[in-house]
Amino acid sequence: MSEFFTHILLQYNIPVELDIPLLNLCRNKPLSPDDVLTIIRTIPNDALDIIRGHSNASPPTESQTPKPVPITLDEIDSILQHRYVTSRKGEEVNDSKNKPGWKDYAWKSRQALRRLSSEFRDTFRLWKLNDLVDYIMTKRRCGHEWKATSAQTNLCHISTLLRLMTDEEKTKYGVDHDHLECIKEHELVCREIIAEVYEDQQLTPTEQELIIPQEELVSAVNQYASQNPITRINNRKEFVVARNVFIGRVHTEQPPRRLDVLKTKILNITDRDNYINWETGCLVLNDYKTKNIYGSYTMKLSDETLRIARLMRDFCMEQGRCHLMGCNDRITDYTPILQDAFETICGKRLSCNILRKMYIDHAWNEGSLKYAKERIQLATMMGHTVSTQQLIYTKRSPFEVPKKRPCEDEEDEEEELEERHAEVLASTSGSVEPTKRRMTESQKQIIKNAIEQWQKSDEYVGLVREGRKPVFSWKRLQSQFVNEFGNVSERTMQAYGRHHIAALRRLAR
């Protein structure tokens, strides 16, 4: 018998050794704390009096129940470090390179929760998880618009911690079933928003502000390199200039990778590190996002880029640094280094995501991605799939589309134009509306009214009384209002509906 179940029985003055079918069921089945409380509370008061053996006993009041306590960062470290073995998909996870003794995702979850605690003071008061979720779903990142991807990442880190906690720990820190459901519902909302943005294939306001033509970026890199000739590196200031030139050249001379190049090491190299083979002049990538799919990847550096890399290596070795970028082993985010470099070069704080979108957009406009073979080759060089290339990185360009690639045979010109039109229609034609639009206010109001009527129905009340979870029929709603929801997918309706149900629950509390 679990300690929690014994504690509940003692609170209700019920003998632990009592042999009745209901208590035997609770002992033998792996029930959650909420299930145990629900079962015991369904026992009539008269029956409880008989079970206790005296009629003057009463269930504990709210003032007698133990109050939850905030969880500490040390306790979070202990849970994540020692219990995280496999991912939610059941896959084995690798050890973190930046923090020995930790699994990779567990360390990321720990760091994310630590950052959240510095932004939201009630982060470690887990009984206020709903307030934390509301903060995550509304907070702006770095002064820019709210991003569903960032919110989903933070929700996943919180869910990871709760998944690893025991029932006793959840009771101690005030986590209940409603908190878990709230996080799951908002994770689903974020996924639906992300999918809708990907299907829409429109540039966000931040992307429109930052993105520039690829030709302008290449020209800015060459101009910066010519204005800052590098023959020797004597101090940190000269090293930063050389690093900017190296970063600019690597990300414009060939298809840009993610942040893989910035992780290059020059000392203490293992088979899991990125390094430069100085004899062949190749950059070998062993540490990147899709390594398990594509394996080790080799990039050939130009002679000028390799020369600058040698100068950077010599300076870093004199300073006792292990990384080519001049940073130490404790660094976990290389994005500021990349953004600082391009801000110096072209005045735009470009991230690797923006660089990849710019390059693929340039390739489409050039006409070099007309054929499947070309698209597969570029996707492999950039370390993602063709579907990712089409869905995520291919956006509707704010620039004019240049002339198309000339056809090799004039007789096939019309056929190739039709093929290009079918493939590029969703990414380059600014006049075409997406097939699935976001819901209007009238459609949202229909869903709200339908949910509120459903919660007042006899069917809903009966399921709640029986202890069963009511499930709303989205297909029935869509068929009932087929004219109003003809252009809205069932998945989008579910996302908004679950978000509204979660809001109603918070208001009810």
Side-chain angles (χ1 to χ4, degrees):
M1 185 185 301
S2 67
E3 295 179 3
F4 174 79
F5 185 68
T6 304
H7 174 70
I8 292 297
L9 293 182
L10 293 177
Q11 275 193 329
Y12 278 81
N13 298 325
I14 299 175
V16 178
E17 66 277 5
L18 196 64
D19 185 15
I20 62 175
L22 180 62
L23 298 184
N24 290 334
L25 175 66
C26 296
R27 291 191 185 100
N28 298 329
K29 291 186 66 176
L31 301 176
S32 67
D34 293 333
D35 295 334
V36 176
L37 287 173
T38 302
I39 290 174
I40 291 181
R41 286 169 180 167
T42 56
I43 304 175
N45 290 334
D46 296 337
L48 280 176
D49 295 338
I50 295 174
I51 291 174
R52 297 189 192 103
H54 53 293
S55 59
N56 58 355
S58 60
T61 62
E62 292 186 3
S63 60
Q64 296 173 337
T65 58
K67 292 185 178 181
V69 297
I71 190 171
T72 64
L73 188 59
D74 292 338
E75 292 168 330
I76 292 176
D77 290 352
S78 177
I79 292 173
L80 293 175
Q81 185 175 9
H82 299 107
R83 301 181 192 174
Y84 192 89
V85 180
T86 59
S87 65
R88 286 194 286 184
K89 297 180 180 179
E91 301 171 349
E92 291 288 337
V93 290
N94 298 324
D95 293 335
S96 174
K97 292 175 55 181
N98 299 316
K99 194 69 176 177
W102 284 75
K103 298 297 182 181
D104 187 42
Y105 193 81
W107 175 248
K108 293 179 181 178
S109 298
R110 190 261 188 191
Q111 295 296 89
L113 292 171
R114 183 179 179 181
R115 285 194 297 269
L116 278 175
S117 65
S118 64
E119 301 170 2
F120 188 75
R121 63 179 183 177
D122 289 336
T123 298
F124 293 158
R125 293 177 172 87
L126 297 183
W127 66 91
K128 296 185 177 181
L129 268 178
N130 291 336
D131 296 335
L132 176 60
V133 171
D134 290 341
Y135 171 75
I136 292 174
M137 295 298 291
T138 56
K139 79 162 188 170
R140 298 161 63 90
R141 181 182 179 185
C142 302
H144 299 296
E145 70 275 2
W146 175 84
K147 285 191 175 182
T149 51
S150 301
Q152 184 192 20
T153 301
N154 287 325
L155 292 174
C156 287
H157 289 311
I158 298 173
S159 178
T160 298
L161 174 64
L162 301 183
R163 177 172 61 90
L164 298 175
M165 292 173 63
T166 63
D167 293 341
E168 291 79 5
E169 289 172 339
K170 290 178 182 177
T171 305
K172 177 182 177 182
Y173 302 124
V175 179
D176 57 26
H177 183 70
D178 289 341
H179 293 144
L180 302 176
E181 287 296 319
C182 178
I183 292 177
K184 289 180 182 178
E185 290 170 357
H186 284 85
E187 280 185 345
L188 180 61
V189 170
C190 290
R191 291 195 194 101
E192 299 302 330
I193 294 174
I194 293 170
E196 186 177 349
V197 171
Y198 287 163
E199 290 175 359
D200 198 12
Q201 289 194 329
Q202 297 284 358
L203 291 171
T204 65
T206 304
E207 291 173 342
Q208 293 178 7
E209 180 183 350
L210 293 176
I211 199 168
I212 59 176
Q214 184 71 14
E215 298 86 349
E216 183 178 331
L217 178 63
V218 174
S219 175
V221 170
N222 294 334
Q223 182 179 358
Y224 181 81
S226 61
Q227 293 176 352
N228 299 275
I230 303 167
T231 56
R232 182 176 174 79
I233 301 177
N234 299 312
N235 51 54
R236 181 70 182 179
K237 184 178 180 179
E238 294 179 356
F239 172 79
V240 171
V241 173
R243 185 175 68 185
N244 293 343
V245 175
F246 176 82
I247 292 175
R249 285 185 173 276
V250 169
H251 287 86
T252 54
E253 291 177 346
Q254 49 194 319
R257 305 284 298 189
R258 296 181 180 89
L259 294 172
D260 315 330
V261 177
L262 278 64
K263 301 178 183 179
T264 305
K265 294 187 68 174
I266 55 177
L267 294 174
N268 305 327
I269 300 173
T270 65
D271 56 354
R272 294 176 55 188
D273 293 322
N274 301 337
Y275 64 94
I276 295 178
N277 188 328
W278 304 105
E279 296 180 357
T280 61
C282 294
L283 175 60
V284 182
L285 301 178
N286 293 315
D287 180 17
Y288 62 96
K289 182 178 180 180
T290 52
K291 163 69 164 52
N292 294 334
I293 300 175
Y294 298 100
S296 181
Y297 182 78
T298 303
M299 299 170 55
K300 179 66 177 178
L301 302 178
S302 65
D303 295 339
E304 179 63 18
T305 305
L306 185 62
R307 183 185 70 83
I308 296 173
R310 292 182 189 276
L311 296 176
M312 293 170 59
R313 176 199 61 182
D314 296 339
F315 180 80
C316 290
M317 294 183 70
E318 291 177 1
Q319 301 294 320
R321 299 287 185 176
C322 298
H323 290 262
L324 185 64
M325 297 296 110
C327 49
N328 52 40
D329 289 330
R330 291 176 295 176
I331 188 171
T332 58
D333 188 7
Y334 295 85
T335 302
I337 298 177
L338 182 72
Q339 291 178 328
D340 291 343
F342 280 104
E343 184 178 25
T344 305
I345 293 173
C346 63
K348 301 277 189 177
R349 293 186 64 82
L350 304 179
S351 63
C352 62
N353 193 24
I354 296 291
L355 291 169
R356 290 158 73 83
K357 290 177 181 178
M358 287 168 50
Y359 189 91
I360 293 178
D361 179 73
H362 172 72
W364 271 113
N365 293 343
E366 252 192 351
S368 57
L369 295 181
K370 289 179 58 177
Y371 306 106
K373 182 179 179 180
E374 296 171 336
R375 294 194 291 271
I376 293 173
Q377 182 181 4
L378 180 60
T380 304
M381 294 175 68
M382 298 183 72
H384 56 231
T385 61
V386 177
S387 60
T388 301
Q389 178 190 94
Q390 300 286 82
L391 187 62
I392 299 178
Y393 290 114
T394 302
K395 299 293 181 180
R396 297 185 179 178
S397 174
F399 311 113
E400 293 294 329
V401 180
K403 56 236 172 253
K404 66 177 182 65
R405 176 181 175 181
C407 300
E408 298 179 358
D409 191 349
E410 293 182 359
E411 295 179 358
D412 297 332
E413 181 175 0
E414 183 176 355
E415 180 181 352
E416 290 192 10
L417 280 173
E418 292 178 356
E419 178 186 358
R420 174 171 173 76
H421 176 73
E423 294 173 352
V424 188
L425 187 61
S427 59
T428 58
S429 177
S431 60
V432 179
E433 292 292 333
T435 56
K436 296 178 182 178
R437 295 184 290 124
R438 297 178 180 176
M439 289 192 297
T440 62
E441 292 300 324
S442 61
Q443 291 170 342
K444 293 179 180 179
Q445 191 61 42
I446 291 174
I447 292 179
K448 288 182 179 180
N449 296 338
I451 290 174
E452 292 171 1
Q453 292 177 4
W454 169 66
Q455 290 181 335
K456 297 177 182 178
S457 64
D458 296 337
E459 176 189 1
Y460 180 90
V461 175
L463 291 174
V464 172
R465 286 178 178 174
E466 295 174 5
R468 297 162 57 188
K469 181 179 179 181
V471 179
F472 187 78
S473 176
W474 303 104
K475 288 185 178 180
R476 185 169 62 184
L477 176 64
Q478 193 174 28
S479 61
Q480 183 179 357
F481 297 94
V482 62
N483 295 329
E484 288 80 0
F485 292 104
N487 64 329
V488 179
S489 66
E490 180 185 345
R491 193 173 61 177
T492 304
M493 293 172 58
Q494 288 181 3
Y496 180 77
R498 288 193 177 103
H499 184 70
H500 180 60
I501 291 174
L504 292 177
R505 286 177 181 170
R506 288 196 297 273
L507 290 175
R509 285 195 294 269

